[in-house]
Amino acid sequence: MSALAAAPVVLASASAVRAALLEQAGVSVRRDPAGIDEDEVKASFRGEGLDAASCATALAEAKAARVSQRHADALVIGADQMLVLGARWFDKPRDLADARAQLQALRDQRHELVTAAAVARNGAVIWRLVDRPALIMRGFSDAFLDAYLAAVGDEALGVVGAYRLEGLGVQLFARIEGDYFSILGLPLLPLLEFLRGHGVVGR
């Protein structure tokens, strides 16, 4: 442990980006993916006409609660993120053709990244938060789009919207509105404040 971190946490995710955000902030992290069927949960929420924020929150809570049952007394962080354009929810692209279609739909538009986080202990959720940063894509050319996809390759398939803002994807955007850490996948500042209150990081 560092002088800033007093106890480790468990991240109910395989996400290297979320783990890095916590570790770079001085929090010791162990990753333990939850294995939730996200497609099934999303289909259920869509079928019931519920909004993306409710779905993302439910997924974050389910991940945290499930994994916390495997780690007695540990604080377990679950997170989920959904890309929303109007009434449409985007999933990770199936292939590069789907990635191209997603980026064409997002081009010159404002979309939201609904980002939810939850913390559980011993199977019970004890904290939750949802943030809705927005991103405005610029009107890039088809030639630029093709060059971008050629440069990032299959990396585009690992993220909803086919971009990583911390990489070449930043060139797709005109501006962002809201918290940068939430865009990367974790509302880090309010989460750190919660962890301070539970002795994980120093005050």
Side-chain angles (χ1 to χ4, degrees):
M1 297 301 134
S2 72
L4 298 179
V9 299
V10 178
L11 180 62
S13 170
S15 171
V17 173
R18 291 189 179 107
L21 286 175
L22 289 163
E23 289 167 350
Q24 289 164 9
V27 180
S28 179
V29 179
R30 176 181 175 186
R31 281 187 279 173
D32 185 1
I36 298 289
D37 187 341
E38 297 187 26
D39 291 339
E40 181 179 340
V41 174
K42 289 177 183 178
S44 174
F45 272 72
R46 283 190 180 108
E48 294 178 31
L50 298 172
D51 65 8
S54 298
C55 185
T57 301
L59 283 165
E61 291 182 358
K63 293 172 186 177
R66 175 177 290 187
V67 172
S68 73
Q69 294 173 355
R70 304 199 287 257
H71 301 273
D73 297 324
L75 290 176
V76 178
I77 300 167
D80 193 76
Q81 186 176 64
M82 299 182 63
L83 191 158
V84 180
L85 175 66
R88 181 179 175 187
W89 300 2
F90 284 66
D91 295 311
K92 292 177 182 177
R94 298 179 300 275
D95 50 35
L96 287 175
D98 190 28
R100 191 176 195 277
Q102 286 195 15
L103 289 167
Q104 286 177 318
L106 295 169
R107 178 168 52 190
D108 215 21
Q109 300 290 324
R110 179 185 186 274
H111 66 267
E112 289 187 328
L113 285 178
V114 180
T115 305
V119 179
R121 175 179 272 158
N122 296 324
V125 174
I126 58 175
W127 181 85
R128 62 183 61 78
L129 184 139
V130 63
D131 194 17
R132 304 184 72 126
L135 300 91
I136 296 87
M137 275 198 182
R138 65 185 184 85
F140 47 80
S141 66
D142 285 343
F144 179 87
L145 174 56
D146 291 338
Y148 165 76
L149 288 172
V152 299
D154 287 345
E155 178 185 307
L157 309 184
V159 285
V160 66
Y163 64 80
R164 293 187 187 278
L165 197 68
E166 68 274 29
L168 288 178
V170 73
Q171 292 203 40
L172 299 168
F173 291 92
R175 69 181 190 275
I176 64 173
E177 301 170 354
D179 183 68
Y180 178 73
F181 297 114
S182 289
I183 291 170
L184 297 188
L186 203 61
L188 185 61
L189 297 180
L191 177 57
L192 288 173
E193 184 62 24
F194 170 82
L195 294 177
R196 285 187 199 100
H198 284 72
V200 174
V201 290
R203 285 193 169 275

